[in-house]
Amino acid sequence: MKQLEKNRTMELDTFQKIAEHEQVMFCNDPKTGLQAIIAIHDTTLGPALGGTRMYPYATVDDALEDVLRLSAGMTSKCAAADVDFGGGKAVIIGDPKKDKSPAMFRAFGQFVDSLNGRFYTGTDMGTTMDDFVHALKETNFVNGVPEAFGGSGDSSVPTAQGVIYGLEATNQYLYGNDSLAEKTYAVQGLGKVGFKVSEHLLKSGANLYVTDINTASIEAINEKAKEMGSIVNVVDSEDIYNVDADVFVPCAMGGVINDQTISQLKVKAVVGSANNQLQADSHAQDLLDRGILFAPDYIVNAGGLIQVADELYGPNHERVLLKTKAIYDSLLEIYEQANLDCVTTVEAANQKCQKRLTEEQNRNNFFVRTRRPKWNIKE
Ligand code: NAD
């Protein structure tokens, strides 16, 4: 009976979340085995944009819950990154290691196309650029494809640059000087983003603690440091939280700021690319109580999103980096507003996004935003 009651509550929660969405579409194609859900949360700022995740969800309810949560998050991300897109997301139910086929992604492309430009998508966990090359045969509403197919390529470059701007803004706020030099950073994860960030920090004359569970990445950063006549301090993955550093830079996975890790942190700030760093919303307040400045992850890691959104104007790396630079001012504004209002930086960031959405709702009329996306209007 208890379980039944719990399920009922979950269903009501999900129902409430659906009601907060503009559109939710279930896609079934028995011939290819495609079972997908596309969720469009909010198109106030423009067509919905969000990656397509492929995961072996245990139930359709689990898939639905995930897509609704992720698409709502994209509305805030797009508002924060100042791109002309709204929030959306898609999930494909299946094991990416064995259930994928080119035909499945062509079928998915047809469903995306049927939305006639209300939803743009690309890769996420479990899907690759190659999958979307197949989808591209059926729809133009795809981004993040390889450069050879008209895309803008590796998004970790602007993401890493965004983290660097975030670190500079943090130093500016804390020390009145945005130089990265002579400070100590603890970088967790030396993957596509973390490695580039570490390399930039080394070049800037910073001191580094690093960790990764992949020994090849450790070897690569040691090699890079040697080339530069510098050194990095490598620590075990569980020791990265309590090193004597100024800034913790999480670039591996989510949930790393939690009840176990917060009490270990000696840093003055947390600034990194990992998505959903706080295990629970309340951890933002816990960090504030301990005097640790938190850079909301969706502000800092927006470089990749900026690149994907910018692709529709034609790939241009210079323009993307220029737009990514806005992360510096945006983060500084959030820090200052949070301080003025005595709220967490997460609350200040959310308020900033909500303000942009409200301003656009008041400015736009329905016809313009749904029928004629900006880039189709001939000036
Ligand atoms: P990646 O998979 O290339 O790198 C992640 C690295 O973290 C890997 O080297 C992995 O070995 C390491 N790692 C995993 N678990 C670890 C642990 N317990 N301790 C230490 N290291 C560990 O991913 P990425 O593209 O560099 O992205 C890093 C983070 O930033 C992810 O959370 C991702 O969602 C987020 N992000 C990335 C982008 C992008 O453009 N790539 C954009 C926005 C957000």
Side-chain angles (χ1 to χ4, degrees):
M1 186 63 190
K2 278 246 160 67
Q3 189 56 36
L4 251 179
E5 274 168 20
K6 192 170 159 234
N7 286 345
R8 193 174 157 72
T9 319
M10 276 178 65
E11 278 167 28
L12 284 172
D13 272 2
T14 309
F15 188 77
Q16 175 66 32
K17 282 186 200 138
I18 292 173
E20 287 162 11
H21 277 66
E22 281 181 21
Q23 189 174 4
V24 179
M25 181 164 100
F26 286 77
C27 318
N28 291 307
D29 183 55
K31 286 199 284 300
T32 61
L34 174 76
Q35 276 194 302
I37 310 173
I38 297 174
I40 295 179
H41 178 251
D42 187 306
T43 60
T44 302
L45 301 178
L49 174 70
T52 297
R53 180 168 284 196
M54 184 166 183
Y55 188 78
Y57 295 99
T59 65
V60 174
D61 275 359
D62 289 353
L64 181 59
E65 217 175 284
D66 206 28
V67 77
L68 295 175
R69 179 181 62 84
L70 292 166
S71 63
M74 284 305 295
T75 300
S76 304
K77 272 194 162 192
C78 289
D82 202 19
V83 298
D84 295 327
F85 281 93
K89 201 84 183 181
V91 295
I92 296 178
I93 302 171
D95 183 341
K97 290 199 193 84
K98 55 185 175 67
D99 296 332
K100 266 185 195 177
S101 67
M104 175 186 273
F105 277 85
R106 286 190 70 158
F108 181 64
Q110 288 177 332
F111 280 108
V112 171
D113 204 60
S114 74
L115 288 164
N116 210 15
R118 273 178 57 72
F119 176 61
Y120 283 74
T121 194
T123 61
D124 196 84
M125 213 169 82
T127 59
T128 66
M129 290 203 277
D130 287 343
D131 296 330
F132 282 91
V133 169
H134 301 300
L136 203 54
K137 289 183 179 158
E138 305 292 342
T139 182
N140 286 327
F141 303 118
V142 164
N143 34 23
V145 289
E147 285 173 279
F149 290 86
S152 48
D154 184 1
S155 66
S156 67
V157 175
T159 302
Q161 187 57 48
V163 175
I164 293 298
Y165 288 131
L167 288 167
E168 287 176 342
T170 302
N171 286 352
Q172 178 65 36
Y173 183 76
L174 288 175
Y175 307 107
N177 174 342
D178 67 11
S179 166
L180 299 168
E182 290 167 22
K183 306 268 178 326
T184 304
Y185 303 84
V187 182
Q188 181 183 49
L190 296 166
K192 294 186 288 297
V193 178
F195 192 91
K196 294 181 186 77
V197 169
S198 301
E199 195 181 347
H200 188 111
L201 288 171
L202 281 175
K203 274 190 198 146
S204 309
N207 307 310
L208 281 196
Y209 284 98
V210 297
T211 191
D212 198 295
I213 50 171
N214 180 359
T215 47
S217 307
I218 297 289
E219 280 163 24
I221 198 72
N222 274 327
E223 196 56 40
K224 184 57 74 182
K226 211 163 127 196
E227 257 172 57
M228 293 180 190
S230 184
I231 52 160
V232 289
N233 303 297
V234 177
V235 297
D236 286 343
S237 56
E238 60 278 15
D239 293 335
I240 195 73
Y241 303 105
N242 61 18
V243 294
D244 226 340
D246 296 296
V247 187
F248 175 47
V249 188
C251 295
M253 66 278 174
V256 293
I257 304 295
N258 55 48
D259 290 340
Q260 285 72 46
T261 58
I262 289 178
S263 55
Q264 299 179 51
L265 292 174
K266 295 180 186 154
V267 292
K268 297 178 190 67
V270 176
V271 184
S273 75
N275 278 313
N276 306 319
Q277 290 163 29
L278 304 177
Q279 197 177 60
D281 292 349
S282 59
H283 291 127
Q285 186 62 47
D286 295 341
L287 286 174
L288 179 63
D289 293 345
R290 292 178 71 90
I292 299 172
L293 187 63
F294 178 63
D297 42 56
Y298 73 92
I299 305 292
V300 174
N301 70 19
L305 171 67
I306 290 169
Q307 171 161 301
V308 166
D310 183 83
E311 211 173 80
L312 298 173
Y313 302 93
N316 182 319
H317 293 298
E318 237 173 89
R319 188 176 61 224
V320 169
L321 287 181
L322 204 69
K323 287 184 178 180
T324 303
K325 206 168 179 187
I327 290 174
Y328 181 105
D329 287 334
S330 177
L331 191 59
L332 212 46
E333 189 190 320
I334 287 164
Y335 287 157
E336 278 157 8
Q337 199 61 48
N339 185 39
L340 273 177
D341 297 347
C342 297
V343 295
T344 67
T345 50
V346 173
E347 283 171 90
N350 292 345
Q351 281 164 12
K352 183 174 149 81
C353 297
Q354 196 48 52
K355 186 165 170 265
R356 184 174 175 224
L357 283 167
T358 309
E359 278 168 8
E360 281 299 289
Q361 272 157 358
N362 293 339
R363 194 184 63 76
N364 266 339
N365 69 48
F366 193 69
F367 175 76
V368 172
R369 76 183 163 90
T370 58
R371 297 283 301 279
R372 298 174 62 156
K374 276 183 186 160
W375 48 90
N376 284 344
I377 299 172
K378 301 240 176 339
E379 298 288 345

